[in-house]
Structures are given as C-alpha cells and as structure tokens.
Amino acid sequence: MAEIKKRYSDEDLEEFRQIIEEKLVVARNDYKQMMSVLRNDDGNDVADTSPTYKILEEGSITQTKEEMMMFAARQEKFIRGLEAALLRIENKTYGIDRITGELIPKERLRIVPHATLSVESKNARKK
C-alpha cells in the first residue's frame, strides 16, 4: 500500500516560494499604483478645484473611486494571503488542506498559490 505524503518536499516548497514571490511583486506593484491613483499623486490636473456644475461627471468619478477602493482592498487581501502562504512554506505546512489534512494538488497551488483548501473541500464547504 502506498504511503500518503504528509507534506511537500523542500524542492516543491522552493518552486511554490518562487511562484508566490513573483506574484507578490506584481500584486504589490498593482496595489501601489491603485493607491497612487486614489491619492491623486499625479495630480497636476484641475479635478480638485474645477467648478462643481458637472454633477453627472462627479458621480461617475465617485463611482470609479469607490470601485478602485474595492479593488485595492481585494488586492491587499490577496497580498496578505500570499504573505501567509510564505509563512506556511517556512513552517513546512504549505499545501496542506486545512479541513482534510491532505495535500492540495500541485496544479491548484500553481494557479492559486495562497489556497488553503482543495477544490473538493471548498465545494463541500459551500454546501
């Protein structure tokens, strides 16, 4: 009878670390850009001082900023998830389904490197 693996090998963990670190660079850059837009860091325009007679346009700008804030919050959560995954790699607990205790398939971790549940566990949880 084949022995069930309890954790990924150090080589596998290193592969996942590289994937996560690459995604973190992109995610942090995207978050930084979103926050720059929200703070109006490039603000050489007159948007803040223009007359307020363009009510429809202002509503659109407000909606766009709200959407950007939502995306920034989602990006921040994604970054925290990736950072937590790096900690699990350090602790050698990365890739273990937190419900079943079995290994999450490598294919899933390559696509969703911050996953803590297998697809089966996630689907079972929804029911």
Side-chain angles (χ1 to χ4, degrees), residues 75-89:
Q75 192 71 359
E76 188 175 28
K77 182 179 178 183
F78 178 59
I79 290 168
R80 285 193 312 265
L82 291 172
E83 289 170 342
L86 286 176
L87 287 174
R88 290 192 301 278
I89 287 174

Side-chain angles (χ1 to χ4, degrees), residues 15-16 19 23 94 105-113:
E15 174 191 346
F16 292 127
I19 291 170
K23 288 189 179 276
Y94 179 80
K106 287 182 183 181
E107 298 76 28
R108 173 159 170 77
L109 292 172
R110 286 183 182 118
I111 296 168
V112 186

Side-chain angles (χ1 to χ4, degrees), residues 4-17 88-89 91-97 101-110 113 115 118:
I4 298 175
K5 287 174 54 175
K6 298 290 181 187
R7 74 170 194 89
Y8 281 109
S9 70
D10 290 344
E11 294 80 22
D12 289 334
L13 293 177
E14 186 56 35
E15 174 191 346
F16 292 127
R17 178 192 312 280
R88 290 192 301 278
I89 287 174
N91 297 333
K92 301 198 187 276
T93 59
Y94 179 80
I96 299 172
D97 186 308
E102 296 177 9
L103 290 180
I104 299 169
K106 287 182 183 181
E107 298 76 28
R108 173 159 170 77
L109 292 172
R110 286 183 182 118
S118 65

Side-chain angles (χ1 to χ4, degrees), residues 31-43 48:
Y31 179 75
K32 183 178 175 183
Q33 288 177 349
M34 285 183 228
M35 295 308 292
S36 178
V37 168
L38 287 170
R39 286 190 306 264
N40 197 23
D41 288 347
D42 298 326
D48 294 3

Side-chain angles (χ1 to χ4, degrees), residues 29-89:
N29 187 42
D30 290 348
Y31 179 75
K32 183 178 175 183
Q33 288 177 349
M34 285 183 228
M35 295 308 292
S36 178
V37 168
L38 287 170
R39 286 190 306 264
N40 197 23
D41 288 347
D42 298 326
N44 286 336
D45 60 4
V46 294
D48 294 3
T49 59
S50 63
T52 57
Y53 57 84
K54 298 180 183 177
I55 294 173
L56 290 176
E57 188 174 317
E58 287 179 358
S60 176
I61 291 169
T62 300
Q63 182 178 2
T64 301
K65 282 187 178 182
E66 287 174 358
E67 289 171 354
M68 183 71 75
M69 287 171 39
M70 182 184 68
F71 289 135
R74 188 177 294 164
Q75 192 71 359
E76 188 175 28
K77 182 179 178 183
F78 178 59
I79 290 168
R80 285 193 312 265
L82 291 172
E83 289 170 342
L86 286 176
L87 287 174
R88 290 192 301 278
I89 287 174

